[in-house]
Amino acid sequence: MYTIVDYKHLGGLTHEMSVEAPQLAKKAQAGQFLIIRINEEGERVPLTIADSDAEKGTITIVFQAVGRSTDELAQLRTGDQLADVVGPLGRASEIEKYGTVVIVGGGVGIAPIYPIAKSLKAAGNHVISIIGAKNKDLLFWEDKMDSVSDELHIATDDGSVGHKGFVTDILEEVCSKGDVAAVWAVGPMIMMKNCARVTKPFGVKTFVSMNPVMIDGTGMCGGCRIQVGADTKFACVDGPEFDGHQVDFDLAMKRSAYLKNLEAEGRQFYHD
Ligand code: NAD
């Protein structure tokens, strides 16, 4: 069993939890994910690792309560236990010294972008971070992001803090100044698609973190397949990070919209 050692409500549907998982905390690298099960009958929920502390033996997850399992997870508090925490899974981010890098986190995607920014900063890069949310109350981890960034830009859709508009507005401005060697974008698929659209004319390598529905997380079921250029890839073992200029976002969004309807039906059934 894996004990929850810290819980915070970050705003809206978003929750943060730190969980005791010493083996996993020792090995976790930026960009990787884990799969949890709340109890023995629970479904497997994949979540990108938002932080880890090898000394304390803890990992941190940030999630939105948007379905039956994440609603149940959001009810748990410090001292409660999870049946399984499996990982680290997937390939780590390609961390190296690029020069100037831009990190874009949208909404709950701010959490998984943090370890990427932290590792890129530690590797000696000049890190420009851009984080965005619908409004000031849904924004989180500004301090953590600031601590691993040389520049931090904030955007909110309603302008309640920072730039009024999308993270892509700031990304375009930063790229047009030149000198950007690589971009990482994590957030809603439409945001990642638009980040890749913005960087393409500048010829800047752009990594996006794909989170299609996953079942086993080890490359066996094929549920998380996505199209990347001419190849079909499995997000769980080939990713989750891919070249944003090669990903077929329209296909990925179509598949995830289809499954969202089923998820909503399942949630309704559970709550009735
Ligand atoms: P959101 O809808 O509030 O959007 C967050 C930000 O993304 C916005 O504030 C804006 O700056 C940007 N954005 C939104 N639409 C855009 C557009 N059309 N063009 C350019 N930028 C746009 O986000 P949310 O409600 O927090 O949803 C988070 C989503 O992120 C979920 O769909 C979740 O599945 C996904 N997610 C992905 C990962 C991953 O590893 N890829 C991890 C966590 C969450």
Side-chain angles (χ1 to χ4, degrees):
M1 299 294 274
Y2 297 80
T3 306
I4 298 165
V5 292
D6 199 16
Y7 165 84
K8 277 189 204 94
H9 177 224
L10 292 179
L13 298 172
T14 310
H15 305 260
E16 173 184 340
M17 252 173 211
S18 294
V19 181
E20 234 168 39
Q23 296 302 324
L24 207 156
K26 235 187 267 172
K27 289 192 185 157
Q29 292 180 63
Q32 291 185 297
F33 67 98
L34 46 76
I35 290 187
I36 63 149
R37 272 195 323 160
I38 297 171
N39 52 48
E40 291 204 346
E41 283 86 45
E43 87 182 309
R44 295 162 68 84
V45 183
L47 293 164
T48 316
I49 300 168
D51 204 359
S52 59
D53 186 326
E55 267 176 41
K56 286 192 198 155
T58 60
I59 52 92
T60 302
I61 51 174
V62 172
F63 61 93
Q64 284 179 315
V66 288
R68 175 182 172 165
S69 297
T70 45
D71 282 352
E72 281 183 312
L73 186 60
Q75 303 299 316
L76 303 181
R77 294 292 177 268
T78 303
D80 289 336
Q81 292 185 315
L82 305 177
D84 296 326
V85 180
V86 176
L89 299 167
R91 293 157 67 103
S93 306
E94 288 176 31
I95 303 296
E96 53 185 84
K97 190 167 176 182
Y98 294 92
T100 296
V101 294
V102 182
I103 303 299
V104 189
V108 74
I110 295 168
I113 210 82
Y114 166 74
I116 301 173
K118 186 174 162 183
S119 301
L120 286 164
K121 178 82 182 135
N125 293 284
H126 181 81
V127 177
I128 302 176
S129 297
I130 306 168
I131 58 173
K134 289 190 182 77
N135 60 51
K136 168 162 100 15
D137 297 332
L138 295 178
L139 200 67
F140 59 91
W141 285 17
E142 298 98 303
D143 291 356
K144 278 178 83 135
M145 286 303 298
D146 193 40
S147 71
V148 295
S149 308
D150 293 285
E151 274 178 47
L152 176 65
H153 300 267
I154 292 174
T156 48
D157 302 6
D158 68 353
S160 48
V161 61
H163 166 77
K164 183 176 192 295
F166 288 159
V167 284
T168 38
D169 305 340
I170 303 175
L171 178 63
E172 185 140 32
E173 218 178 285
V174 172
C175 286
S176 62
K177 289 183 189 150
D179 209 28
V180 176
V183 170
W184 272 258
V186 186
M189 266 200 242
I190 186 67
M191 180 208 96
M192 298 193 284
K193 177 186 174 182
N194 284 330
C195 285
R197 183 184 50 75
V198 164
T199 58
K200 192 146 191 213
F202 296 100
V204 177
K205 175 100 181 151
T206 300
F207 298 93
V208 295
S209 178
M210 300 301 286
N211 65 333
V213 162
M214 261 178 214
I215 302 160
D216 65 282
T218 58
M220 289 190 290
C221 73
C224 66
R225 66 190 178 280
I226 55 167
Q227 196 64 25
V228 184
D231 302 321
T232 297
K233 298 275 188 189
F234 292 165
C236 64
V237 286
D238 300 320
E241 283 179 16
F242 294 98
D243 178 349
H245 297 146
Q246 298 289 322
V247 170
D248 185 339
F249 284 105
D250 293 336
L251 182 62
M253 286 192 282
K254 213 163 138 187
R255 292 194 73 209
S256 103
Y258 168 73
L259 293 163
K260 267 208 166 59
N261 294 337
L262 292 176
E263 188 175 65
E265 274 174 34
R267 189 183 198 198
Q268 190 67 34
F269 181 75
Y270 166 64
H271 285 298
D272 288 348

Short mmCIF file of all heavy atoms in Angstrom, two decimals, residues 95-122:
data_model
loop_
_atom_site.label_atom_id
_atom_site.label_comp_id
_atom_site.label_asym_id
_atom_site.label_seq_id
_atom_site.Cartn_x
_atom_site.Cartn_y
_atom_site.Cartn_z
N ILE A 95 16.69 15.47 -22.10
CA ILE A 95 17.32 16.61 -21.42
C ILE A 95 18.78 16.72 -21.85
O ILE A 95 19.54 15.76 -21.74
CB ILE A 95 17.24 16.44 -19.88
CG1 ILE A 95 15.78 16.28 -19.43
CG2 ILE A 95 17.92 17.62 -19.16
CD1 ILE A 95 14.85 17.43 -19.66
N GLU A 96 19.14 17.87 -22.36
CA GLU A 96 20.55 18.15 -22.65
C GLU A 96 20.74 19.66 -22.67
O GLU A 96 19.77 20.40 -22.47
CB GLU A 96 20.97 17.52 -24.00
CG GLU A 96 20.10 17.89 -25.15
CD GLU A 96 20.49 17.14 -26.44
OE1 GLU A 96 20.04 15.99 -26.62
OE2 GLU A 96 21.21 17.73 -27.23
N LYS A 97 21.96 20.11 -22.90
CA LYS A 97 22.18 21.56 -22.94
C LYS A 97 21.91 22.06 -24.36
O LYS A 97 22.70 21.80 -25.26
CB LYS A 97 23.60 21.90 -22.48
CG LYS A 97 23.76 23.39 -22.28
CD LYS A 97 25.01 23.75 -21.53
CE LYS A 97 25.11 25.27 -21.49
NZ LYS A 97 26.31 25.70 -20.82
N TYR A 98 20.75 22.71 -24.53
CA TYR A 98 20.34 23.19 -25.86
C TYR A 98 20.72 24.67 -26.05
O TYR A 98 20.90 25.13 -27.15
CB TYR A 98 18.83 23.08 -26.03
CG TYR A 98 18.28 21.67 -26.06
CD1 TYR A 98 17.85 21.05 -24.88
CD2 TYR A 98 18.16 20.96 -27.25
CE1 TYR A 98 17.32 19.76 -24.90
CE2 TYR A 98 17.63 19.67 -27.28
CZ TYR A 98 17.22 19.08 -26.10
OH TYR A 98 16.69 17.80 -26.12
N GLY A 99 20.71 25.43 -24.93
CA GLY A 99 20.88 26.88 -25.00
C GLY A 99 19.64 27.51 -24.39
O GLY A 99 19.35 27.30 -23.21
N THR A 100 18.86 28.23 -25.22
CA THR A 100 17.61 28.81 -24.70
C THR A 100 16.46 27.86 -25.02
O THR A 100 16.28 27.45 -26.17
CB THR A 100 17.35 30.19 -25.33
OG1 THR A 100 18.40 31.06 -24.92
CG2 THR A 100 16.02 30.77 -24.88
N VAL A 101 15.70 27.50 -23.99
CA VAL A 101 14.55 26.61 -24.19
C VAL A 101 13.29 27.28 -23.66
O VAL A 101 13.36 28.09 -22.73
CB VAL A 101 14.76 25.24 -23.49
CG1 VAL A 101 15.90 24.46 -24.12
CG2 VAL A 101 15.00 25.42 -22.00
N VAL A 102 12.17 26.95 -24.27
CA VAL A 102 10.89 27.52 -23.81
C VAL A 102 10.00 26.37 -23.35
O VAL A 102 9.85 25.36 -24.04
CB VAL A 102 10.20 28.35 -24.93
CG1 VAL A 102 8.91 28.95 -24.39
CG2 VAL A 102 11.12 29.44 -25.44
N ILE A 103 9.41 26.57 -22.16
CA ILE A 103 8.59 25.55 -21.52
C ILE A 103 7.17 26.12 -21.42
O ILE A 103 6.99 27.20 -20.87
CB ILE A 103 9.10 25.36 -20.06
CG1 ILE A 103 10.58 24.98 -20.06
CG2 ILE A 103 8.29 24.39 -19.27
CD1 ILE A 103 10.84 23.70 -20.76
N VAL A 104 6.20 25.41 -21.98
CA VAL A 104 4.82 25.93 -21.97
C VAL A 104 3.92 24.95 -21.23
O VAL A 104 3.81 23.78 -21.61
CB VAL A 104 4.29 26.12 -23.42
CG1 VAL A 104 2.96 26.87 -23.38
CG2 VAL A 104 5.30 26.84 -24.29
N GLY A 105 3.28 25.41 -20.18
CA GLY A 105 2.35 24.57 -19.42
C GLY A 105 0.98 25.21 -19.40
O GLY A 105 0.84 26.38 -19.02
N GLY A 106 -0.05 24.45 -19.82
CA GLY A 106 -1.41 24.99 -19.84
C GLY A 106 -2.30 24.25 -18.87
O GLY A 106 -2.38 23.02 -18.90
N GLY A 107 -2.97 24.97 -17.97
CA GLY A 107 -3.91 24.38 -17.03
C GLY A 107 -3.21 23.33 -16.18
O GLY A 107 -2.10 23.55 -15.67
N VAL A 108 -3.82 22.16 -16.07
CA VAL A 108 -3.23 21.11 -15.22
C VAL A 108 -1.89 20.63 -15.80
O VAL A 108 -1.08 20.05 -15.10
CB VAL A 108 -4.27 19.99 -14.97
CG1 VAL A 108 -4.45 19.14 -16.19
CG2 VAL A 108 -3.90 19.15 -13.77
N GLY A 109 -1.62 20.95 -17.06
CA GLY A 109 -0.33 20.65 -17.70
C GLY A 109 0.84 21.43 -17.10
O GLY A 109 2.00 21.14 -17.40
N ILE A 110 0.56 22.40 -16.23
CA ILE A 110 1.65 23.13 -15.55
C ILE A 110 2.43 22.15 -14.66
O ILE A 110 3.65 22.26 -14.53
CB ILE A 110 1.08 24.29 -14.68
CG1 ILE A 110 0.42 25.35 -15.56
CG2 ILE A 110 2.18 24.91 -13.80
CD1 ILE A 110 -0.41 26.37 -14.79
N ALA A 111 1.71 21.19 -14.06
CA ALA A 111 2.37 20.26 -13.12
C ALA A 111 3.42 19.39 -13.82
O ALA A 111 4.58 19.37 -13.40
CB ALA A 111 1.33 19.43 -12.39
N PRO A 112 3.07 18.68 -14.89
CA PRO A 112 4.10 17.83 -15.53
C PRO A 112 5.21 18.62 -16.22
O PRO A 112 6.27 18.06 -16.50
CB PRO A 112 3.32 17.00 -16.55
CG PRO A 112 1.99 17.62 -16.67
CD PRO A 112 1.73 18.41 -15.43
N ILE A 113 4.99 19.91 -16.49
CA ILE A 113 6.04 20.68 -17.16
C ILE A 113 7.12 21.09 -16.14
O ILE A 113 8.26 21.35 -16.50
CB ILE A 113 5.44 21.93 -17.88
CG1 ILE A 113 6.26 22.31 -19.11
CG2 ILE A 113 5.32 23.13 -16.98
CD1 ILE A 113 5.95 21.53 -20.32
N TYR A 114 6.74 21.12 -14.83
CA TYR A 114 7.69 21.57 -13.81
C TYR A 114 8.97 20.72 -13.77
O TYR A 114 10.08 21.28 -13.84
CB TYR A 114 6.99 21.64 -12.42
CG TYR A 114 7.96 21.76 -11.29
CD1 TYR A 114 8.62 22.98 -11.05
CD2 TYR A 114 8.28 20.68 -10.48
CE1 TYR A 114 9.55 23.09 -10.02
CE2 TYR A 114 9.20 20.77 -9.46
CZ TYR A 114 9.83 21.98 -9.24
OH TYR A 114 10.77 22.09 -8.23
N PRO A 115 8.89 19.36 -13.69
CA PRO A 115 10.16 18.60 -13.64
C PRO A 115 10.98 18.74 -14.92
O PRO A 115 12.21 18.61 -14.87
CB PRO A 115 9.70 17.15 -13.44
CG PRO A 115 8.24 17.12 -13.68
CD PRO A 115 7.71 18.50 -13.53
N ILE A 116 10.32 19.02 -16.03
CA ILE A 116 11.06 19.21 -17.29
C ILE A 116 11.85 20.52 -17.20
O ILE A 116 13.05 20.56 -17.51
CB ILE A 116 10.08 19.19 -18.50
CG1 ILE A 116 9.32 17.86 -18.55
CG2 ILE A 116 10.82 19.46 -19.80
CD1 ILE A 116 8.21 17.79 -19.59
N ALA A 117 11.18 21.57 -16.74
CA ALA A 117 11.87 22.87 -16.58
C ALA A 117 13.03 22.73 -15.59
O ALA A 117 14.14 23.22 -15.84
CB ALA A 117 10.88 23.92 -16.10
N LYS A 118 12.77 22.02 -14.50
CA LYS A 118 13.80 21.85 -13.44
C LYS A 118 15.03 21.12 -14.01
O LYS A 118 16.17 21.54 -13.78
CB LYS A 118 13.16 21.02 -12.31
CG LYS A 118 13.97 20.85 -11.07
CD LYS A 118 13.07 20.15 -10.05
CE LYS A 118 13.81 19.51 -8.93
NZ LYS A 118 12.89 18.79 -8.02
N SER A 119 14.81 20.05 -14.78
CA SER A 119 15.93 19.29 -15.33
C SER A 119 16.66 20.09 -16.40
O SER A 119 17.90 20.01 -16.49
CB SER A 119 15.43 17.98 -15.95
OG SER A 119 14.79 17.22 -14.99
N LEU A 120 15.93 20.83 -17.21
CA LEU A 120 16.59 21.63 -18.26
C LEU A 120 17.42 22.74 -17.64
O LEU A 120 18.51 23.07 -18.13
CB LEU A 120 15.54 22.21 -19.23
CG LEU A 120 14.94 21.18 -20.19
CD1 LEU A 120 13.66 21.71 -20.83
CD2 LEU A 120 15.95 20.80 -21.29
N LYS A 121 16.92 23.31 -16.54
CA LYS A 121 17.67 24.36 -15.84
C LYS A 121 18.95 23.75 -15.25
O LYS A 121 20.04 24.32 -15.39
CB LYS A 121 16.77 24.96 -14.75
CG LYS A 121 17.41 26.01 -13.90
CD LYS A 121 17.37 27.36 -14.57
CE LYS A 121 18.05 28.42 -13.74
NZ LYS A 121 18.93 29.26 -14.55
N ALA A 122 18.81 22.58 -14.62
CA ALA A 122 19.97 21.91 -14.01
C ALA A 122 21.01 21.53 -15.06
O ALA A 122 22.20 21.46 -14.76
CB ALA A 122 19.51 20.68 -13.24
#
